[in-house]
Amino acid sequence: MTSQVSSPAEQAEPADQQDGQTLVGGQRASDGGKEVRRLDRVIIRFAGDSGDGMQLTGDRFTSETASFGNDLSTLPNFPAEIRAPAGTLPGVSSFQLHFADHDILTPGDAPNVLVAMNPAALKANLGDVPRGAEIIVNTDEFTKRPMARVGYDQSPLEDGSLDGYNVHPVPLTTLTVEALKEFGLSRKEAERSKNMFALGLLSWMYHRPTEGTEKFLRQKFAKKPQIAEANVAAFRAGWNFGETTEDFAVSYEVAPASSAFPPGTYRNISGNLALSYGLIAASHQADLPLFLGSYPITPASDILHELSRHKNFGVRTFQAEDEIAGIGAALGAAFGGALAVTTTSGPGVALKSETIGLAVSLELPLVVVDIQRGGPSTGLPTKTEQADLLQAMYGRNGEAPVPIVAPKTPADCFDAALDAVRIALTYRTPVFLLSDGYLANGSEPWRVPDLEDLPDLRVRFASGPNHTLADGTEVFWPYKRDPETLARPWAVPGTPGLEHRIGGIEKQDGTGNISYDPANHEHMVRIRQAKVDGIEVPDITVDDPTGDARTLVLGWGSTYGPITAAVRRVRAAGDAIAQAHLRHLNPFPGNLGAVLARYDKVVVPEMNLGQLATLLRAKYLVDTRSFTQVRGLPFKAEQLATALKEAIDD
């Protein structure tokens, strides 16, 4: 969904300073006589079994919130199993959405509203819910057996353990089945729509639009019109229940965040979708066909799925039999003159490493997209992590330097894709694009760019001889380099006169002939490194409003949102702190060393055990302070704010 923002851009008030809702502008009475309160922000978490449709419910609420014009950030969280054990703690699936009338940066630390579809969902998420929050519980599931499965000896709805919360017991299953009697569905079929009843209730509670969801349901179940109308009926029944029941005496409004955005056309977008669109845009700007050689792997598969829908833009997708075949096909496409991409996650990078080294040796453009997840080995397939940085830097035999680009938000995945393609095409090198599960599955508003604002990525292929021998003969040398970029010419196979040898054995500089000469090998190793070192990347910018900060917090990738939210909290408390964020991890920005030297303390938060901090210590001899976690979840803003405050006060 898209929405237009035409008001002038304004500086938004500092956000993410707290997770509690703030009452704005008093309150008013609705037409039905119920109280309506105006809030500046809300954090909602839907939780249930992985088969309860929590991801779909959250996605629909997010889409309607985006079309309404709120700023938002989401955190889907689900098991790795396709159908995890029902009613168990490992089988709980959740979707958290933070939306506001101003700019926000994270999905929020703690939900203001928890929708718990069963005892497992309540028990798995209650620890994150602050006292005073709203809890909507599906009472139909709180029977003896489901409660015993997760260790409840007696009902938490009756034993006082939920005292201090604003609990709304709602028989969601019974109400859904009752609402769908006229459709002639079995009870099991009718129960499947209880997530739509919950969505309708929350849509009423927070004044969300409804037309988009009804249209979506009719399109999704177009071949099963009875199911489509049953879901619409359940959705409407949930809305009507909120409007008429005395259990919900208050509804809430969160105004659009128009003043937080520059004018333009906006849509809600996830990181993987933004990355896919970025690759398509780069293909258009380079005037090259896009080829994706890939093997399905969580959480990167969505890129393959999305690109396969865009053959009309010259996109070709190849689902290979394994990771090695996927990158092999992509490298072959690069040799043939296409914009070549391969997508994977950490385990796939390990399998692709030899071919990435081959791409380094051949000096061909190739974009390797790594959507990082929890490891090692299979690890946590559906959870996020940032632990592939050193693998991207050094995970190949020999000296095989590869540039690394990392997006910072879901929407930034679009720009990072363009940047990765720019580097690959300009310098004839494979490039790593390091996203992660948090960015890939999370979403936020994205301003659709104007075509004229996109970079010109067109390249010139070799077209004829480029070297003259001593006797005057003109020949083509495949490794004769551009004096500025050190890139070798890109020669499309079949072009007359451009025949040349390829392969993994070391080449002689210039001629491309096989060479075992020690001096030539050292020259080629050093020139490939010099090519990467010389890649043009912008200087890093530092956010230090007062200029008085003695502590710098430096992040990379998806830590941007939590770090920025934490920095806002620290500054709001009266402390000075500087912030900088890296997109380019190899090579580092040229001014990074000087920036690090300006501060007494440098704190580096990472979702690994300190990989960037290790690189910084080695290169700049700076005693960085690591703050790390590997929990499969993004940092919380309050958690980082506390760590930064301790660093400042130390």
Side-chain angles (χ1 to χ4, degrees):
M1 291 188 175
T2 61
S3 59
Q4 291 284 343
V5 177
S6 56
S7 59
E10 298 176 4
Q11 180 63 42
E13 292 297 318
D16 283 299
Q17 294 175 7
Q18 58 182 14
D19 290 312
Q21 302 157 313
T22 302
L23 186 65
V24 178
Q27 57 199 43
R28 63 177 176 82
S30 70
D31 293 337
K34 290 193 175 185
E35 180 184 335
V36 179
R37 295 179 185 173
R38 175 89 176 273
L39 302 175
D40 68 339
R41 71 175 69 213
V42 177
I43 304 168
I44 297 174
R45 183 181 297 179
F46 298 94
D49 275 335
S50 58
D52 283 341
M54 294 297 94
Q55 303 306 315
L56 175 63
T57 305
D59 182 69
R60 288 314 313 159
F61 197 95
T62 299
S63 294
E64 297 295 5
T65 296
S67 68
F68 188 71
N70 295 118
D71 195 12
L72 61 89
S73 180
T74 67
L75 178 62
N77 190 4
F78 45 87
E81 293 81 8
I82 294 175
R83 185 65 173 94
T88 65
L89 295 176
V92 172
S93 172
S94 68
F95 189 105
Q96 183 162 306
L97 166 68
H98 184 189
F99 61 101
D101 64 4
H102 53 271
D103 73 310
I104 55 174
L105 299 157
T106 74
D109 287 0
N112 308 120
V113 181
L114 172 65
V115 180
M117 303 297 284
N118 61 19
L122 178 65
K123 188 162 190 176
N125 292 279
L126 188 60
D128 293 335
V129 182
R131 296 284 176 170
E134 309 259 357
I135 300 179
I136 300 173
V137 179
N138 180 15
T139 56
D140 288 325
E141 295 296 322
F142 280 75
T143 57
K144 186 174 182 179
R145 186 174 179 183
M147 289 191 296
R149 189 174 295 156
V150 295
Y152 281 131
D153 295 328
Q154 53 184 319
S155 174
L157 306 179
E158 301 171 354
D159 65 4
S161 60
L162 297 182
D163 291 349
Y165 300 97
N166 189 9
V167 180
H168 301 277
V170 180
L172 289 173
T173 307
T174 299
L175 291 172
T176 302
V177 172
E178 183 68 24
L180 302 186
K181 273 186 174 180
E182 63 183 89
F183 292 91
L185 302 174
S186 68
R187 181 178 178 85
K188 185 176 181 180
E189 289 174 326
E191 287 179 358
R192 290 174 182 162
S193 297
K194 63 180 180 291
N195 63 323
M196 288 297 105
F197 188 100
L199 178 60
L201 173 58
L202 269 293
S203 297
W204 168 84
M205 193 172 176
Y206 289 97
H207 295 248
R208 299 296 90 187
T210 60
E211 295 81 3
T213 293
E214 293 190 11
K215 181 180 179 181
F216 167 84
L217 291 171
R218 291 190 172 102
Q219 290 176 341
K220 180 178 177 63
F221 299 107
K223 296 182 179 180
K224 298 179 179 179
Q226 184 185 35
I227 299 298
E229 293 307 316
N231 277 280
V232 170
F235 177 67
R236 290 178 176 176
W239 176 283
N240 293 332
F241 177 78
E243 183 71 17
T244 58
T245 184
E246 295 181 359
D247 292 337
F248 291 87
V250 180
S251 64
Y252 304 92
E253 287 183 347
V254 181
S258 300
S259 62
F261 300 123
T265 300
Y266 287 79
R267 60 157 294 164
N268 180 49
I269 201 164
S270 68
N272 274 351
L273 185 58
L275 202 156
S276 300
Y277 287 175
L279 292 173
I280 296 171
S283 170
H284 180 274
Q285 293 302 103
D287 196 22
L288 294 174
L290 175 61
F291 180 89
L292 173 67
S294 183
Y295 180 75
I297 183 172
T298 301
S301 299
D302 288 342
I303 302 171
L304 171 62
H305 300 159
E306 183 60 34
L307 290 180
S308 68
R309 300 187 178 105
H310 297 288
K311 296 179 177 64
N312 55 316
F313 286 110
V315 179
R316 293 184 179 180
T317 54
F318 171 57
Q319 180 175 320
E321 66 269 25
D322 56 39
E323 296 280 5
I324 299 172
I327 191 174
L331 186 57
F335 178 61
L339 172 54
V341 181
T342 188
T343 53
T344 190
S345 189
V349 173
L351 295 170
K352 294 178 188 292
S353 61
E354 183 179 5
T355 307
I356 296 172
L358 177 60
V360 171
S361 175
L362 298 181
E363 300 188 45
L364 286 171
L366 173 67
V367 177
V368 181
V369 178
D370 177 6
I371 312 297
Q372 300 166 95
R373 71 189 206 187
S377 187
T378 308
L380 304 175
T382 61
K383 311 300 181 183
T384 194
E385 207 162 274
Q386 283 185 304
D388 293 350
L389 176 55
L390 293 183
Q391 179 177 225
M393 283 287 291
Y394 302 120
R396 294 163 296 283
N397 63 297
E399 295 288 347
V402 174
I404 302 172
V405 176
K408 62 183 182 180
T409 68
D412 188 49
C413 289
F414 178 88
D415 296 314
L418 285 165
D419 202 9
V421 170
R422 171 189 69 85
I423 294 171
L425 296 180
T426 303
Y427 297 91
R428 312 286 196 268
T429 178
V431 177
F432 262 102
L433 199 165
L434 290 184
S435 179
D436 61 44
Y438 172 37
L439 296 183
N441 296 318
S443 58
E444 66 177 352
W446 171 59
R447 184 179 181 273
V448 180
D450 295 325
L451 189 60
E452 55 268 25
D453 293 335
L454 299 181
D456 185 351
L457 300 176
R458 288 173 293 182
V459 297
R460 292 181 60 186
F461 291 108
S463 58
N466 61 0
H467 184 75
T468 303
L469 300 177
D471 61 2
T473 303
E474 293 186 334
V475 296
F476 174 67
W477 277 12
Y479 282 84
K480 185 171 184 177
R481 301 179 183 280
D482 182 286
E484 293 184 2
T485 65
L486 300 181
R488 78 174 187 90
W490 195 359
V492 176
T495 306
L498 302 189
E499 296 84 358
H500 60 284
R501 184 190 303 271
I502 65 167
I505 297 179
E506 186 65 277
K507 306 297 185 296
Q508 185 181 54
D509 194 29
T511 68
N513 295 329
I514 288 177
S515 173
Y516 295 101
D517 178 65
N520 176 77
H521 176 59
E522 177 151 350
H523 171 74
M524 292 293 278
V525 168
R526 292 187 181 278
I527 206 165
R528 286 191 289 260
Q529 183 66 58
K531 180 172 67 171
V532 172
D533 292 341
I535 290 172
E536 183 178 343
V537 301
D539 283 347
I540 191 170
T541 58
V542 180
D543 176 24
D544 187 359
T546 65
D548 299 328
R550 304 312 309 151
T551 299
L552 170 71
V553 55
L554 178 67
W556 70 277
S558 67
T559 58
Y560 173 78
I563 289 174
T564 306
V567 166
R568 289 177 174 180
R569 295 184 186 209
V570 170
R571 290 175 180 167
D575 290 300
I577 189 167
Q579 178 189 0
H581 206 78
L582 287 167
R583 167 180 281 179
H584 298 95
L585 298 156
N586 193 31
F588 286 130
N591 68 331
L592 180 58
V595 167
L596 296 176
R598 293 208 305 262
Y599 294 92
D600 297 336
K601 304 167 189 172
V602 179
V603 182
V604 184
E606 299 182 75
M607 291 188 293
N608 55 49
L609 296 184
Q611 297 187 14
L612 174 60
T614 297
L615 295 174
L616 295 174
R617 292 188 189 108
K619 185 173 180 64
Y620 300 107
L621 303 181
V622 174
D623 186 19
T624 57
R625 301 186 178 200
S626 287
F627 185 77
T628 64
Q629 73 171 33
V630 281
R631 300 177 60 244
L633 295 169
F635 285 108
K636 293 184 177 181
E638 183 61 33
Q639 170 192 15
L640 282 178
T642 300
L644 296 180
K645 175 65 174 172
E646 291 174 353
I648 293 170
D649 293 342
D650 184 5

